[in-house]
C-alpha cells in the first residue's frame, strides 16, 4: 500500500507543482500612440523567467511562482517599466503596459534587442522579417519607399524588369509564391511599373518573407510565402500623412473612434490610405527622353500572344502606367487584449502601349480576430476573407484573353504557450472560382470555368531543449475538385552552438492547385491568367498523351524543400547569415499554349530543380545601416525531352544597401543601393523564313514574291535558352531632409535618382528589327511628405 501511495504521489507531482504556479501575460503599448511594441523584453527578476513580445505587443510567461513578484519591461528608446504584481495559484494575470519614451538612448542607437533573444529561441530559417523603417531607408523610385523595391534586395529573390517584371523566389515562379495581406490572398501584388506594389509602406507593421522550408502553418504554395501584416490606426489622436512625387500621390488618415485608456476598457480605431499614379501625366514633360524604351512592340511580336495581321503599330510614348489603390481598416481592442479587425481593399492597374491595352483590378475584404481567454494558456485566432482578381489584355488581333479568380478563405487557429514550448494547430477552408478565356496563335480556344475547394488542417510544435530548438509540423491538404490528398510533413531545427553562433535546418513536402498561364518564353509578362488544376488527365513529361500508363498519379503541383545554414552574431552590431537550399519540383503543370491540333492536351507537365547559396550581412550603428546580400543560384526545368534553364535563372545576384544619418539631430539621411546580376537565359536565333499565306491561291508567287514583313517567322536554335543576356547593374541614390515643426508634425523632402549612372540594361531584343530595347534610364525625382 505504501509503494502504491508513493507511486501515485510521484505521478501527481508535476500536476501539483504546476498548480503552485501562475501565468503572467499582457500587451505592451507605446504610451504616445498606443501602438503595440514588438520585441520588448519582459521578465520576472529573480526567477529566470521572461519572454519577448510579438508583433502585436503580446507576451505570456508561464510557471511563475505564486506570491509577490516584480514585472519588468524594457525596450530600446523607452524608459524601463517596473510594477509589483501578485501571482495567484493556477490563475492568469493580465497586464496592459504603456511605455514612455526616454531611457537616454534612441531606438536607432542600440542594436542588441529582443530580436536576438527571439533568434535563439526560434528556428527562423529562410525567414526574413522586414519593417516599415527598413523599407523607408532604401533609395526608391520617386523618393517614395515601397516594399516592391525592397523585396528585390533580399537573398534568393529575382525580379525580371522595371516594366511588367515578375518576382521569382529561389526558383519558384510568381504563382508558386503565396502573397498574403492580413490573411487575405493577393493574386497580383505588383503594378505594371515594377517599382510599386499595392501595399502602403506607412501602413506596414511587418513583412515576413519565407523563401523556403516554411512550416505547416503555411500551405497551398510550393515555393515561398510573403506575409504582409498591416498596423492598426492611432488609438490616441487623429493623425495623417500626404505625399507627392512625379510618380504618385498618396495620403493616409487615422485616429481613434474610442480612445484607448491606460486604466483599461475597449478602444476603437481606424486607418484609411490611398494612392494614385501621376507618372502617366508627368512623364511627357519630365521624362520625355524615356519614350523609346517603352517600344515593347518587338517583345509582343516575339511572343505567342502577338500573331495578328494588319496590326496597328502606333505606340504610346512616355511611361504609360496608371494605377489606384485604396485600403481601410477598423480595429476593436478589448480590455484583456482580445482584438477584432475589419478591413477592405480595392486596387486597379492599367497600361496603354498603343499596340496593346492591359488592365487588372483586385478587391476584397474580411476580418481577423484574436481571442485571449481569461483562464487559459491557449490563444484563439482566426480570419475570414474574400478577394478577387480580374485581368484582360486587348491586342490588335481582338482575340479574347480574359482571366478572373474570386474566392474565400476561412481559418481558425489555436496557440498554446508553455515555458519552453509552443503548440499551434488549426484548420483552413479555401474556395475559389476561376474563369479563363484564351485563343492561341493557331486559333484553338482554351477555356476553363472551375469551382475549387481546398480543406487543410495543420499542427506544429516548438520545443527548446537547452541549446536545441526543434519544430516538427504536419499539414494535411485535401483538394476536393481533383479528389487529391497531400500529406505534408515539415521539420525545422536550430542548435545554438555558442551564444553567437547558431546552426539551423528545415525541410518538408509542399503542394498546390493553382496554375498560371504565363509562358516562360514570353519576354514581357503583362497578362497573367489563373487556372485551377486540370480535371482532365495529364501525362508525365515527354510521354505520349492518351496512354493510360503515361498518366500522372495526381493533378497537383508538388515540391520538396531542404535548407540548412548558420547565423553568426559577429559583433553586437554585425550579423552574418549563410544558407544553402535545394528545391525539387516533382511535378509542375502548365498551360499548353503551343497546342497545334484539337486532340492535343490542354496541359503539359514538367519537373525542375532549384539550388544555391544565399549570404546576407547586416551592420547597424548609431548613424549608419549596411545591408549586403549575395545569391548563387541554379534553376532548371525538364519537359521530358530537354533539360533547360528558365528565363529567370540568374546565376549571380548581388545587392548592397547603405544609409547614413547626418546632422546634430539626424535630420539628414543619405542612401545608396547597388544591384548587380548576371544575364538571364534566352533562346538564340538560327534564322528567319517568309511565312507565305497563299492568299492568291495557286497564283501565289512562292519564289519571287515578298511576303508581308509582319509575317516573317523566326527559326529558333535547337538548344532552348542556350544564350545569356548581358549582365545587369544599377545604382539608386537618395538624400533626405526632415524638418520638424512639433512633436507630431514634420516635412520630409527627398531627392532621388534611379539608375543614377544611366546604365543601358537590356529589357529585350527585337529579333526582327535587330534592335535592342533597354530598361528605364536615369529617373531623377523630388518628393515631399508631410506628417501630422
Amino acid at each position: 500500500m505504501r509503494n502504491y501511495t508513493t507511486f501515485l504521489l510521484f505521478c501527481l507531482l508535476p500536476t501539483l507543482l504546476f498548480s503552485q504556479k501562475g501565468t503572467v501575460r499582457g500587451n505592451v503599448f507605446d504610451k504616445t500612440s498606443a501602438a503595440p511594441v514588438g520585441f520588448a523584453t519582459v521578465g520576472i527578476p529573480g526567477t529566470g523567467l521572461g519572454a519577448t513580445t510579438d508583433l502585436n505587443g503580446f507576451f505570456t510567461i508561464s510557471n511563475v511562482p505564486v506570491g509577490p513578484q516584480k514585472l519588468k519591461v524594457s525596450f530600446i528608446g523607452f524608459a524601463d517599466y517596473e510594477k509589483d504584481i501578485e501571482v495567484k495559484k493556477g490563475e492568469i494575470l493580465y497586464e496592459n503596459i504603456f511605455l514612455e519614451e526616454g531611457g537616454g538612448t534612441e531606438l536607432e542607437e542600440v542594436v542588441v534587442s529582443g530580436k536576438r533573444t527571439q533568434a535563439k529561441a526560434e528556428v527562423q530559417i529562410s525567414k526574413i522579417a522586414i519593417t516599415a523603417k527598413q523599407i523607408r531607408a532604401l533609395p526608391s523610385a520617386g523618393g517614395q519607399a515601397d516594399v516592391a523595391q525592397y523585396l528585390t534586395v533580399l537573398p534568393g529573390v529575382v525580379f525580371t524588369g522595371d516594366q511588367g517584371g515578375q518576382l521569382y523566389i529561389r526558383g519558384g515562379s510568381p504563382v508558386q509564391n503565396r502573397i498574403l495581406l492580413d490573411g487575405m490572398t493577393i493574386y497580383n501584388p505588383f503594378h505594371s511599373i515594377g517599382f510599386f506594389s499595392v501595399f502602403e509602406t506607412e501602413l506596414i507593421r511587418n513583412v515576413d518573407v519565407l523563401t523556403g522550408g516554411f512550416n505547416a502553418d503555411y500551405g497551398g504554395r510550393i515555393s515561398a510565402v510573403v506575409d504582409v501584416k498591416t498596423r492598426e490606426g492611432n488609438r490616441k489622436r487623429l493623425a495623417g500623412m500626404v505625399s507627392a512625387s512625379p510618380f504618385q500621390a498618396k495620403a493616409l488618415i487615422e485616429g481613434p473612434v474610442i480612445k484607448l485608456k491606460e486604466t483599461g476598457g475597449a478602444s476603437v480605431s481606424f486607418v484609411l490610405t490611398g494612392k494614385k499614379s501621376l507618372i502617366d501625366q508627368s512623364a511627357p514633360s519630365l521624362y520625355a527622353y524615356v519614350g523609346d524604351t517603352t517600344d515593347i512592340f518587338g517583345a509582343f511580336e516575339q511572343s505567342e500572344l502577338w500573331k495578328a495581321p494588319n496590326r496597328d503599330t502606333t505606340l504610346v510614348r512616355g511611361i504609360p502606367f496608371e494605377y489606384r489603390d485604396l485600403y481601410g481598416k477598423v480595429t476593436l481592442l478589448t480590455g484583456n487584449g482580445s482584438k477584432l479587425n475589419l478591413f477592405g481593399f480595392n486596387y486597379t492597374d492599367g497600361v496603354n502601349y498603343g499596340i496593346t491595352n492591359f488592365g487588372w483590378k483586385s478587391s476584397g475584404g474580411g476580418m481577423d480576430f484574436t481571442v485571449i481567454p481569461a483562464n487559459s494558456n491557449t490563444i484563439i485566432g482566426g480570419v475570414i476573407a474574400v478577394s478577387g482578381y480580374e485581368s484582360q489584355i486587348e491586342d490588335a488581333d481582338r482575340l479574347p484573353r480574359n482571366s478572373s479568380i474570386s474566392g474565400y478563405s476561412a481559418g481558425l487557429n489555436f496557440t498554446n504557450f508553455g515555458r519552453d514550448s509552443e503548440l499551434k494547430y488549426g484548420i483552413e477552408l479555401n474556395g475559389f472560382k476561376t474563369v479563363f478565356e484564351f485563343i492561341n496563335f493557331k486559333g484553338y480556344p482554351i477555356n476553363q470555368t472551375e469551382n475549387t475547394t481546398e480543406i487543410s488542417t495543420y499542427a506544429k510544435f516548438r520545443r527548446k531543449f537547452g541549446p536545441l530548438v526543434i519544430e516538427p509540423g504536419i499539414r494535411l491538404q485535401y483538394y476536393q475538385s481533383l479528389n487529391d490528398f497531400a500529406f505534408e510533413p515539415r521539420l525545422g531545427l536550430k542548435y545554438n552552438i555558442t551564444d553567437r553562433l547558431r546552426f539551423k535546418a528545415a525541410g518538408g513536402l509542399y503542394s498546390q492547385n493553382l496554375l498560371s498561364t504565363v509562358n516562360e518564353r514570353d519576354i514581357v509578362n503583362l497578362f497573367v491568367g489563373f487556372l485551377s488544376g486540370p480535371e482532365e488527365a495529364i501525362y508525365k513529361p515527354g510521354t505520349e498523351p492518351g496512354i493510360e500508363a503515361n498518366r500522372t498519379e495526381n493533378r497537383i503541383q508538388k515540391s520538396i524543400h531542404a535548407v540548412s545554414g548558420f547565423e553568426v552574431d559577429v559583433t553586437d552590431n554585425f550579423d552574418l547569415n549563410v544558407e544553402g537550399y535545394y528545391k525539387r519540383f516533382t511535378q509542375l503543370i502548365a498551360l499548353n499554349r503551343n497546342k497545334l491540333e484539337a486532340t492535343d492536351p490542354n496541359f503539359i507537365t514538367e519537373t525542375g530543380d532549384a539550388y544555391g547559396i544565399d549570404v546576407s550581412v547586416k551592420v547597424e550603428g548609431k548613424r549608419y545601416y549596411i545591408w549586403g546580400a549575395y545569391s548563387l543560384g541554379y534553376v532548371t526545368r525538364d519537359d521530358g525531352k530537354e533539360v533547360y534553364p528558365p528565363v529567370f535563372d540568374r546565376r549571380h545576384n548581388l545587392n548592397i544597401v547603405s544609409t547614413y544619418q547626418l546632422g546634430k539631430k539626424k535630420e539628414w539621411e543619405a542612401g545608396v543601393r547597388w544591384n548587380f546580376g548576371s544575364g538571364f537565359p534566352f533562346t538564340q536565333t538560327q534564322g528567319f523564313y517568309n511565312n507565305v499565306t497563299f492568299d492568291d491561291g495557286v497564283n501565289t508567287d512562292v519564289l519571287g514574291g515578298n511576303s508581308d514583313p509582319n509575317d516573317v517567322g523566326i527559326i529558333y536554335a535547337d538548344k532552348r535558352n542556350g544564350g545569356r543576356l548581358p549582365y545587369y547593374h544599377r545604382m539608386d541614390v537618395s538624400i533626405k531632409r526632415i524638418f520638424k515643426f512639433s512633436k507630431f508634425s514634420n516635412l520630409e523632402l527627398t531627392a532621388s535618382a534611379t539608375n543614377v549612372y544611366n546604365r543601358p540594361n537590356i529589357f529585350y531584343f527585337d529579333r526582327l528589327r535587330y534592335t535592342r530595347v533597354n530598361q528605364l534610364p536615369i529617373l531623377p525625382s523630388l518628393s515631399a511628405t508631410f506628417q501630422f
Side-chain angles (χ1 to χ4, degrees), residues 563-575:
V563 191
S564 66
F566 62 88
E567 56 190 34
V568 187
D569 305 330
V570 181
T571 66
D572 284 345
N573 66 339
F574 181 6
D575 299 335

Side-chain angles (χ1 to χ4, degrees), residues 10-25:
F10 178 80
C11 293
L12 293 175
L13 183 61
T15 303
L16 294 172
L17 290 175
F18 181 78
S19 66
Q20 303 302 312
K21 311 277 186 176
T23 297
V24 179
R25 69 186 182 201

Side-chain angles (χ1 to χ4, degrees), residues 156-409:
V157 175
V158 172
F159 200 71
T160 55
D162 303 332
Q163 306 175 70
Q166 299 288 324
L167 191 72
Y168 300 86
I169 302 179
R170 283 187 177 175
S173 63
V175 75
Q176 294 158 7
N177 306 321
R178 189 171 191 182
I179 312 295
L180 297 171
L181 174 62
D182 291 329
M184 293 182 293
T185 299
I186 303 297
Y187 296 102
N188 189 354
F190 304 112
H191 289 295
S192 297
I193 182 168
F195 294 135
F196 300 105
S197 70
V198 298
F199 310 120
E200 172 50 50
T201 302
E202 300 300 326
L203 201 57
I204 288 175
R205 170 174 294 161
N206 191 75
V207 181
D208 286 333
V209 183
L210 308 167
T211 57
F214 45 92
N215 215 300
D217 47 342
Y218 292 103
R221 296 296 186 272
I222 60 174
S223 184
V225 175
V226 178
D227 190 358
V228 180
K229 292 182 173 64
T230 61
R231 63 175 178 84
E232 294 86 22
N234 195 307
R235 297 187 176 102
K236 286 293 189 76
R237 64 180 185 86
L238 188 67
M241 177 272 296
V242 290
S243 179
S245 79
F247 284 79
Q248 64 181 10
K250 58 182 182 178
L252 179 148
I253 186 73
E254 59 181 320
V257 178
I258 301 176
K259 290 185 179 181
L260 178 63
K261 300 178 181 178
E262 295 182 33
T263 55
S267 73
V268 178
S269 63
F270 74 94
V271 62
L272 178 65
T273 182
K275 62 174 177 270
K276 173 74 170 64
S277 62
L278 301 177
I279 188 65
D280 55 318
Q281 302 170 46
S282 64
S285 56
L286 297 179
Y287 306 116
Y289 58 90
V290 181
D292 291 339
T293 66
T294 60
D295 182 355
I296 69 159
F297 172 75
F300 278 94
E301 199 165 36
Q302 297 168 49
S303 73
E304 288 104 7
L305 290 179
W306 192 251
K307 299 289 181 181
N310 302 319
R311 53 184 173 266
D312 181 10
T313 60
T314 303
L315 300 176
V316 175
R317 298 304 189 189
I319 309 178
F321 300 97
E322 184 178 5
Y323 56 86
R324 185 191 70 231
D325 300 334
L326 293 171
Y327 183 88
K329 187 175 189 178
V330 176
T331 302
L332 167 65
L333 180 68
T334 67
N336 73 334
S338 296
K339 185 171 60 175
L340 172 68
N341 291 311
L342 303 174
F343 43 77
F345 70 90
N346 184 276
Y347 307 136
T348 60
D349 183 275
V351 56
N352 177 16
Y353 284 115
I355 59 169
T356 185
N357 292 320
F358 168 73
W360 61 258
K361 59 182 178 180
S362 181
S363 60
M367 59 175 280
D368 66 52
F369 60 87
T370 302
V371 178
I372 304 178
N375 295 302
S376 173
N377 279 332
T378 298
I379 308 302
I380 304 170
V383 62
I384 301 173
V386 295
S387 60
Y389 173 81
E390 298 179 22
S391 64
Q392 63 283 323
I393 191 167
E394 182 179 303
D395 294 329
D397 57 13
R398 298 295 187 262
L399 298 178
R401 298 180 188 98
N402 303 299
S403 176
S404 68
I405 179 170
S406 58
Y408 64 87
S409 60

Side-chain angles (χ1 to χ4, degrees), residues 726-744:
Y727 278 35
Y728 171 100
H729 54 89
R730 189 184 92 192
M731 178 179 287
D732 304 337
V733 297
S734 68
I735 183 73
K736 185 186 302 180
R737 176 64 162 92
I738 299 176
F739 300 90
K740 277 192 170 291
F741 304 122
S742 67
K743 184 177 180 180
F744 299 119

Side-chain angles (χ1 to χ4, degrees), residues 479-680:
Y479 300 95
Q480 183 269 334
S481 63
L482 303 176
N483 196 27
D484 280 327
F485 175 80
F487 173 74
E488 303 175 6
R490 316 275 176 87
L491 177 64
L493 60 89
K494 175 176 284 185
Y495 188 82
N496 293 276
I497 301 172
T498 68
D499 192 51
R500 291 183 175 270
L501 174 61
R502 298 174 288 277
F503 170 80
K504 52 188 178 179
L509 304 182
Y510 304 85
S511 68
Q512 78 174 70
N513 179 22
L514 194 64
L515 313 179
S516 169
T517 63
V518 170
N519 189 316
E520 69 88 25
R521 178 168 275 181
D522 283 350
I523 299 169
V524 180
N525 288 316
L526 288 174
F527 177 71
V528 179
F530 293 98
L531 306 96
S532 61
E535 293 189 357
E536 65 187 68
I538 57 174
Y539 299 89
K540 299 173 184 177
T543 61
E544 184 178 347
I547 300 176
E548 184 68 24
N550 294 338
R551 294 182 62 168
T552 60
E553 295 180 359
N554 54 66
R555 291 162 292 174
I556 55 178
Q557 302 187 86
K558 291 190 172 185
S559 70
I560 304 170
H561 294 192
V563 191
S564 66
F566 62 88
E567 56 190 34
V568 187
D569 305 330
V570 181
T571 66
D572 284 345
N573 66 339
F574 181 6
D575 299 335
L576 170 66
N577 187 80
V578 179
E579 290 183 2
Y581 67 90
Y582 174 71
K583 292 181 181 178
R584 173 62 178 169
F585 299 100
T586 54
Q587 181 162 286
L588 299 171
I589 305 172
L591 183 70
N592 184 11
R593 292 173 59 172
N594 293 320
K595 182 174 181 176
L596 300 177
E597 303 292 341
T599 55
D600 289 345
N602 289 326
F603 297 90
I604 57 174
T605 61
E606 292 183 322
T607 59
D609 294 284
Y611 52 95
I613 297 175
D614 291 335
V615 181
S616 63
V617 174
K618 182 173 68 173
V619 182
E620 289 184 275
K622 294 181 179 181
R623 290 178 174 267
Y624 62 88
Y625 172 83
I626 301 173
W627 166 266
Y630 169 74
S631 297
L632 173 66
Y634 297 82
V635 186
T636 60
R637 296 288 188 260
D638 185 354
D639 61 5
K641 299 177 182 178
E642 183 181 10
V643 177
Y644 66 94
V647 293
F648 54 88
D649 175 40
R650 170 163 277 173
R651 190 70 65 246
H652 305 281
N653 199 29
L654 174 66
N655 279 280
I656 299 174
V657 177
S658 179
T659 61
Y660 190 83
Q661 294 176 320
L662 304 95
K664 186 177 180 180
K665 298 182 179 180
K666 301 181 181 178
E667 63 270 23
W668 290 90
E669 182 178 279
V672 61
R673 177 257 175 126
W674 187 68
N675 174 226
F676 171 87
S678 55
F680 291 120

Side-chain angles (χ1 to χ4, degrees), residues 82-100:
E82 289 189 0
K83 181 181 181 181
D84 293 323
I85 59 175
E86 182 74 24
V87 179
K88 297 181 180 180
K89 181 174 62 176
E91 292 189 1
I92 297 175
L93 176 66
Y94 179 84
E95 292 286 337
N96 262 341
I97 298 168
F98 291 84
L99 300 183
E100 296 188 61

